[in-house]
Amino acid sequence: MIHPAPVASPNGLPAPGGVAIFDSSGRLTECSAEFAQLLGERPAKLLGRAYEELPLPSGNRPLSLVREAQQTGKTAFQDVSVGEAFVRFSAQPLLAREGSAPHVAVTLMTLEQEQAPPERSRKLEMELAKFHLYFENLPMIFWSNQPDGALDYLNRQWYAFTGLALGRKDPGSWVEVVHPEDLPELGRLWSRAMESGESYEIDARFRRHDGAWIWHRVRCLAMRNAEGRILGWFGCSVDIQESKVATARAEEERRKAEQMRAALDSFFDAVPAGMALFDEKLRYTRINPALAEINGLSVEEHLGHTPRELFPQLDPHPQDLFQRVLSTGETITFESTGKTMASDEMATWLACTAPVRAPDGRRLGVVIVILDISQRKRAEAERDRLITALERSNKELDQFAYVASHDLKAPLRGINNLAQWIQDDLKSAMTQEVREQMQMLMGRVHRMEALIDGILTYSRAGRVREQPESIDVGALLNETIELLSPTLPASIQVETRMPVVHTERVPLQQVFLNFISNALKHAMRPDVIVKVRSSEQDDAWEFSIADNGPGIAPEYHERIWGIFQTLRARDEVEGTGIGLSVVKKIVESRGGSVRVESAPGQGATFFFTWPKSNPKRLLGV
């Protein structure tokens, strides 16, 4: 146990004295009868007083010993004359928990008395026993060492914390308890204290009885007599684990906050969009280089000014919207036009502004993010102009195609009628050769009419749009087959399960009609079989039309989709060479694709994909 040791007299016997304890606020909480007697008061009269309020004999100015000991962590002295004797007040700080002022033990000893009376010594021992009990029950660890460093006391808090055997005081116990990383520094400080007599303080980890390493703040003080000779060493430690953890957590949070701030600073300065922060008075407090370049001013020229002061001719003006953001707390996205210092040309910006809030919800200002969309606006205007011009051109093209078709068909109809009249008038006089030539002439007229109709159809394919609706593809195919009315033994087989597609009716039917009629026409056999199937893809349906005709050589798989392209002479198979090109144009204009799989003698399978939903709706048109 650590006793506030009395000062030895010249003959080696202890001098009379007393002991008192002052709390963290500097008020006396306990004192011995000797302490009160030397001050000429009863103990009860002294309790609650500060050291500066003690009734010292006249002529002795009380010093702030307790405050000094609390603030410096070192023992403080004051010698006071009482009659012909001298009395020493010695204040020693007791280690406190983290963040609070320590208690202070004040010993009072006479310096001139030769020998303490036995009765007085007995009373002093009783008082010291009381303080021994005090040290034993404080929620911190205390120990004491002899002048040569030998350990002679550990309070019960040490044994309760470490789990060591009660009464064990060998030096090895410290080696077991102190963390290996902290032990060298603790040993160094102890060795230095033994050599110099200096006190020390250190934070070290002690191993708790359950194996956990707990941070403690350790303090060791030298106890000296009136001549300054070391009478022993007094040490104490307090658990600062929570404080350490909180400090480490705060440091980690500070480090993360600094990293986040650095990342945000880098992002703010590097982002290609213009960004700025404004205070509650809507003055620039920060602006990134991108926005400074957009505005045509340096970063410094913005700071402290409002947008209206620098750029008065903006419509709508951002500052008006900033006021609304501060008032309502809403986020606003808007477009603004006007001029800045960067150019005399009118510009357009897309901006988003939002409030800057404190943790408690208060609005401290606003932030704005700006993109210069002037080029995009000009491109959109040019696009709209081109679309309008294209629509006008398409209407003129439609009108031209219709007029051209009508004007071209008129003489053809005249030729056909004239041939028919000649044939009727010379019916009996015509030879077989003339009759065949007249039939060939009328065939050429019909082919020319079909070609003109095909060209008109091709010119309109993909451009004429209808209102989309839900189409049962199975029912649509049944209607298509009825229109074609294939002659037996030819047959068209449709897969039982066909999808329902939200699309335009006529273009889809025209595709099926062209593919199936093409298969019937080019099969070159009366028992042709055409099979129609479907399969589902992610966002489209794929349809296939297969036949058992002569097939198509691979080198012609691309050629057949071109306009006016036929694989056989028109005299062998009547056709314009436009049908598949019309199909390709219709399908691709709806976002689909076409392809063919075929080989000579193995028939042909044509595939095309059709979106599940109308492309117009997907694009929001």
Side-chain angles (χ1 to χ4, degrees):
M1 156 181 171
I2 296 179
H3 298 284
V7 178
S9 63
N11 61 7
L13 296 177
V19 182
I21 298 294
F22 291 80
D23 63 17
S24 60
S25 65
R27 299 289 176 178
L28 192 146
T29 58
E30 296 185 58
C31 73
S32 65
E34 286 77 7
F35 188 94
Q37 184 178 358
L38 285 172
L39 295 179
E41 287 282 0
R42 290 183 294 107
K45 286 285 189 177
L46 297 177
L47 296 180
R49 294 189 185 186
Y51 179 81
E52 294 82 359
E53 298 171 352
L54 294 179
L56 297 181
S58 59
N60 293 288
R61 182 174 61 85
L63 303 178
S64 301
L65 289 191
V66 172
R67 300 296 181 193
E68 181 180 348
Q70 287 176 332
Q71 294 172 3
T72 64
K74 298 181 180 179
T75 303
F77 300 94
Q78 181 180 8
D79 293 338
V80 178
S81 62
V82 181
E84 296 181 356
F86 288 94
V87 177
R88 167 161 290 183
F89 288 81
S90 177
Q92 290 185 335
L94 305 176
L95 191 61
R97 292 192 176 277
E98 185 72 14
S100 61
H103 290 207
V104 177
V106 176
T107 58
L108 186 156
M109 290 171 287
T110 58
L111 302 179
E112 303 230 0
Q113 182 146 346
E114 292 286 331
Q115 183 177 358
E119 179 63 21
R120 191 163 192 148
S121 296
R122 185 183 66 79
K123 290 183 178 180
L124 184 57
E125 287 179 358
M126 290 180 62
E127 293 296 331
L128 293 178
K130 181 170 66 174
F131 287 105
H132 169 266
L133 182 65
Y134 180 78
F135 289 132
E136 281 292 294
N137 289 281
L138 278 176
M140 60 183 70
I141 295 171
F142 291 95
W143 69 88
S144 66
N145 299 75
Q146 297 175 7
D148 61 359
L151 183 65
D152 62 3
Y153 170 73
L154 286 163
N155 74 342
R156 67 178 183 178
Q157 291 295 334
W158 166 266
Y159 298 105
F161 178 84
T162 63
L164 296 176
L166 192 64
R168 180 181 171 185
K169 294 187 292 185
D170 60 284
S173 62
W174 284 92
V175 177
E176 295 179 20
V177 171
V178 180
H179 195 283
E181 295 179 3
D182 302 329
L183 190 59
E185 179 64 12
L186 188 61
R188 187 187 68 81
L189 292 175
W190 172 243
S191 298
R192 189 181 70 178
M194 291 294 295
E195 293 175 1
S196 64
E198 295 179 359
S199 302
Y200 66 84
E201 182 177 299
I202 184 176
D203 291 347
R205 286 161 286 185
F206 289 178
R207 188 183 64 193
R208 200 166 56 193
H209 56 80
D210 60 0
W213 293 103
I214 306 300
W215 281 99
H216 279 71
R217 178 150 296 162
V218 182
R219 180 179 294 167
C220 184
L221 304 170
M223 295 181 289
R224 302 176 183 269
N225 62 10
E227 289 77 26
R229 182 169 58 86
I230 294 177
L231 302 177
W233 298 89
F234 174 77
C236 52
S237 73
V238 62
D239 183 339
I240 60 169
Q241 179 69 16
E242 291 185 3
S243 173
K244 276 283 187 181
V245 171
T247 300
R249 186 182 298 115
E251 178 63 22
E252 179 64 16
E253 291 176 354
R254 184 194 63 79
R255 185 185 64 81
K256 289 182 178 179
E258 288 181 352
Q259 289 180 341
M260 181 62 70
R261 179 60 181 268
L264 289 175
D265 287 344
S266 299
F267 172 79
F268 190 88
D269 291 336
V271 67
M275 297 181 67
L277 294 174
F278 302 85
D279 60 19
E280 68 279 3
K281 294 183 179 179
L282 305 181
R283 296 171 300 196
Y284 285 96
T285 59
R286 185 168 182 182
I287 179 173
N288 71 344
L291 184 54
E293 183 178 355
I294 290 173
N295 291 341
L297 295 173
S298 68
V299 170
E300 292 73 18
E301 288 175 311
H302 286 81
L303 302 181
H305 296 282
T306 66
R308 198 181 299 278
E309 291 173 349
L310 300 177
F311 316 106
Q313 297 178 344
L314 297 177
D315 183 32
H317 204 285
Q319 193 162 327
D320 297 332
L321 299 174
F322 291 170
Q323 294 284 4
R324 181 172 145 196
V325 168
L326 282 179
S327 300
T328 64
E330 63 181 310
T331 297
I332 301 175
T333 300
F334 63 97
E335 290 184 7
S336 182
T337 59
K339 295 181 181 179
T340 65
M341 304 296 184
S343 174
D344 291 334
E345 294 184 4
M346 292 292 290
T348 304
W349 300 275
L350 177 64
C352 179
T353 181
V356 177
R357 290 186 173 90
D360 60 4
R362 290 179 298 110
R363 298 176 194 125
L364 305 178
V366 296
V367 61
I368 190 171
V369 180
I370 294 176
L371 289 174
D372 188 340
I373 60 172
S374 302
Q375 291 185 357
R376 192 185 83 184
K377 282 293 185 179
R378 287 191 286 269
E380 289 176 353
E382 179 64 13
R383 181 200 63 190
D384 293 341
R385 186 189 67 78
L386 292 174
I387 289 175
T388 301
L390 181 60
E391 289 176 348
R392 183 173 60 252
S393 177
N394 286 338
K395 289 180 181 178
E396 292 173 353
L397 179 61
D398 286 343
Q399 186 176 6
F400 170 78
Y402 178 78
V403 172
S405 172
H406 181 271
D407 291 346
L408 288 174
K409 282 183 178 182
L412 289 176
R413 284 192 293 270
I415 294 172
N416 184 69
N417 292 335
L418 182 58
Q420 185 65 48
W421 294 337
I422 293 173
Q423 188 174 3
D424 292 341
D425 291 343
L426 302 177
K427 187 173 184 181
S428 58
M430 290 176 62
T431 64
Q432 182 62 29
E433 182 180 0
V434 174
R435 189 175 290 110
E436 291 176 356
Q437 289 176 350
M438 292 299 292
Q439 289 296 325
M440 185 180 296
L441 174 62
M442 295 175 68
R444 293 291 189 272
V445 171
H446 290 312
R447 184 184 299 168
M448 190 64 183
E449 286 183 337
L451 182 60
I452 293 172
D453 289 337
I455 294 173
L456 183 60
T457 301
Y458 183 80
S459 69
R460 302 183 66 201
R463 293 192 295 107
V464 178
R465 296 283 177 161
E466 300 176 355
Q467 186 66 27
E469 57 182 298
S470 293
I471 304 298
D472 183 337
V473 177
L476 184 69
L477 283 168
N478 290 334
E479 294 178 12
T480 303
I481 294 170
E482 289 180 6
L483 288 173
L484 293 172
S485 300
T487 304
L488 294 175
S491 67
I492 301 173
Q493 301 173 4
V494 178
E495 187 178 50
T496 304
R497 299 181 61 182
M498 282 288 170
V500 175
V501 183
H502 188 79
T503 188
E504 301 160 86
R505 181 183 187 85
V506 173
L508 181 58
Q509 187 174 34
Q510 189 175 1
V511 171
F512 279 120
L513 191 62
N514 274 283
F515 273 132
I516 296 174
S517 63
N518 195 65
L520 293 173
K521 183 191 304 181
H522 295 281
M524 304 303 292
R525 54 190 294 177
D527 59 343
V528 58
I529 300 175
V530 180
K531 296 180 180 180
V532 184
R533 293 185 174 88
S534 68
S535 61
E536 187 174 9
Q537 297 182 347
D538 291 339
D539 54 359
W541 288 96
E542 184 176 67
F543 299 97
S544 64
I545 297 90
D547 63 55
N548 57 349
I552 304 171
E555 59 265 29
Y556 299 116
H557 286 186
E558 292 297 327
R559 175 182 168 184
I560 60 175
W561 303 105
I563 191 169
F564 304 132
Q565 296 297 320
T566 60
L567 300 184
R568 306 185 67 179
R570 289 181 173 83
D571 291 336
E572 297 180 23
V573 178
E574 187 65 38
T576 61
I578 295 177
L580 290 181
S581 60
V582 170
V583 166
K584 185 175 186 291
K585 193 172 183 182
I586 292 174
V587 171
E588 291 181 348
S589 69
R590 268 68 182 178
S593 61
V594 295
R595 62 188 176 92
V596 64
E597 293 180 3
S598 181
Q602 298 181 13
T605 303
F606 290 86
F607 297 87
F608 75 94
T609 58
W610 199 269
K612 291 181 178 179
S613 298
N614 187 46
K616 288 183 178 180
R617 291 183 178 269
L618 290 175
L619 294 172
V621 178

